Amino acid sequence: MGVLRTPDDRFADLPGYPYPPNYVQVQTRKLDPLRMHYVDAGPKDGPVVLLMHGQPTWSYLYRKVIPVLVDAGLRVVAPDNIGYGRSDKLTDATDYTFVRHVDWLHGLVTALDLRDVTLVAQDWGGPLGLSVLARDEGRFARVVAANTILHTCDPALDGELEWAHHGVGDGRMMLQETLLDYVAFYQRAPKIVPSFFLDAVAGPLPADVLAAYDAPFPDRSYTAGLRQLIALIPLTRNDPGAAIGRDTMAVLERWHKPFLTAYSDGDPATRGWDRVFQRRVPGARGQKHVTITGAGHFVQEQRGEELGRIVADFVAHSS
């Protein structure tokens, strides 16, 4: 098992990110323990907010959200998924699987003994974070879903989503062409550069901010996880990740604790999933769901302070 650790000097003096590193050892089957990084900010005895990033970002994405939550008296825990940020990076792409990502994140939650957690999930933070919730429901108090999905390939999603991603009848799938282009690009491109995507979707961004998104990946050898996560998007109902997504949705369909959607108005890739969650999750009924205007997929980058206020208010006024 090959493991790389990004040199610490790559993370020196990043704009808006003054947080010292924290680490836990996490475990999954058939691999040695790995070191997982997380930000831990705010009062240690405050209500816990778990901020989950997705692709191709890391906890730096939440740098505008964290101060708002800390000012509200909340304890913020913002992990870097294995393969991202300051966490360990496996060099063999096939060592990354959907279930291992869930194992690693669950390992962090249990190692820190996080309880009464407010989960904030964006992009892959939803499939991974919500799957940890499904595995260990008692640790979670509420959810804020922001520009995320669940990979279920459910035929019932027909007509629900801006980007088609669902089964059709017996043995067929309906998939958005742009989604397939995205998956193919990540597998075929000789070099994957996170800042390219951030700038294209949320830019133009300052050069030092773009450099911060690229900091975890000094060269191509560090990017196996970055590349492989896109290959783990289930494209058929037979994919193991789709089975995980369906199991997770089954838990959410009996989840009565508070569940809020806070999607932006400029993200076709996830548009429609807010309504799916609102309809299927009992805890979402009657909530004051939010549409964040003037932002694309990376809502934390473009409207981070606003998202922080939404989360802080939700924690303060829901039970």
Side-chain angles (χ1 to χ4, degrees):
M1 184 182 74
V3 181
L4 295 174
R5 288 181 177 171
T6 304
D8 287 341
D9 61 9
R10 298 278 298 183
F11 302 101
D13 300 321
L14 299 184
Y17 190 81
Y19 307 105
N22 303 276
Y23 298 99
V24 295
Q25 295 289 113
V26 293
Q27 181 72 60
T28 189
R29 291 184 59 194
K30 299 184 179 180
L31 292 180
D32 293 337
L34 296 170
R35 192 176 76 166
M36 192 170 190
H37 169 260
Y38 64 100
V39 171
D40 196 340
K44 297 297 184 184
D45 59 351
V48 177
V49 180
L50 180 65
L51 302 178
M52 288 306 306
H53 74 88
Q55 176 78 7
T57 60
W58 57 291
S59 55
Y60 184 76
L61 178 67
Y62 282 99
R63 71 193 182 284
K64 299 178 184 178
V65 179
I66 294 171
V68 178
L69 300 179
V70 170
D71 286 348
L74 303 174
R75 178 189 177 189
V76 176
V77 176
D80 296 335
N81 289 317
I82 295 295
Y84 294 77
R86 300 186 79 145
S87 292
D88 282 349
K89 297 166 184 69
L90 296 161
T91 57
D92 186 344
T94 60
D95 282 339
Y96 294 92
T97 69
F98 201 132
V99 72
R100 282 174 174 168
H101 274 294
V102 177
D103 287 345
W104 290 321
L105 178 57
H106 187 226
L108 176 135
V109 170
T110 56
L112 299 181
D113 195 24
L114 302 181
R115 297 182 183 275
D116 295 320
V117 174
T118 298
L119 172 65
V120 179
Q122 183 261 348
D123 191 88
W124 268 92
L128 300 181
L130 292 171
S131 294
V132 171
L133 179 152
R135 183 183 290 186
D136 204 348
E137 296 178 60
R139 291 184 179 273
F140 293 83
R142 60 186 63 80
V143 175
V144 178
N147 292 7
T148 192
I149 71 171
L150 272 183
H151 302 300
T152 64
C153 299
D154 185 355
L157 295 171
D158 184 12
E160 296 278 355
L161 310 176
E162 180 86 2
W163 278 24
H165 190 175
H166 58 84
V168 180
D170 186 13
R172 295 186 178 184
M173 287 291 300
M174 180 69 72
L175 295 167
Q176 192 76 16
E177 186 175 38
T178 310
L179 173 62
L180 294 178
D181 289 340
Y182 179 58
V183 173
F185 176 83
Y186 259 83
Q187 300 315 300
R188 299 172 183 174
K191 189 176 182 180
I192 301 296
V193 181
S195 61
F196 171 81
F197 296 94
L198 270 295
D199 207 37
V201 175
L205 298 176
D208 56 354
V209 169
L210 295 174
Y213 280 113
D214 293 338
F217 311 104
D219 60 51
R220 184 176 178 177
S221 65
Y222 290 78
T223 63
L226 184 69
R227 189 181 294 269
Q228 185 69 2
L229 192 59
I230 300 305
L232 298 180
I233 295 175
L235 300 180
T236 76
R237 283 169 280 187
N238 301 316
D239 190 286
I244 293 172
R246 289 190 292 270
D247 289 345
T248 297
M249 181 60 83
V251 171
L252 293 178
E253 286 176 335
R254 60 176 186 267
W255 175 266
H256 288 269
K257 296 176 185 178
F259 190 109
L260 183 75
T261 62
Y263 282 57
S264 69
D265 62 353
D267 184 21
T270 64
R271 187 173 296 135
W273 270 102
D274 50 348
R275 295 187 296 273
V276 172
F277 287 129
Q278 290 166 20
R279 189 177 68 256
R280 293 195 182 185
V281 182
R285 295 166 194 160
Q287 301 293 344
K288 295 180 179 179
H289 300 289
V290 179
T291 298
I292 300 173
T293 60
H297 183 64
F298 300 108
V299 63
Q300 305 96 316
E301 184 64 52
Q302 294 175 294
R303 295 291 185 271
E305 294 88 351
E306 182 178 351
L307 179 61
R309 291 190 294 270
I310 290 167
V311 173
D313 183 72
F314 185 54
V315 173
H317 295 100
S318 63
S319 61

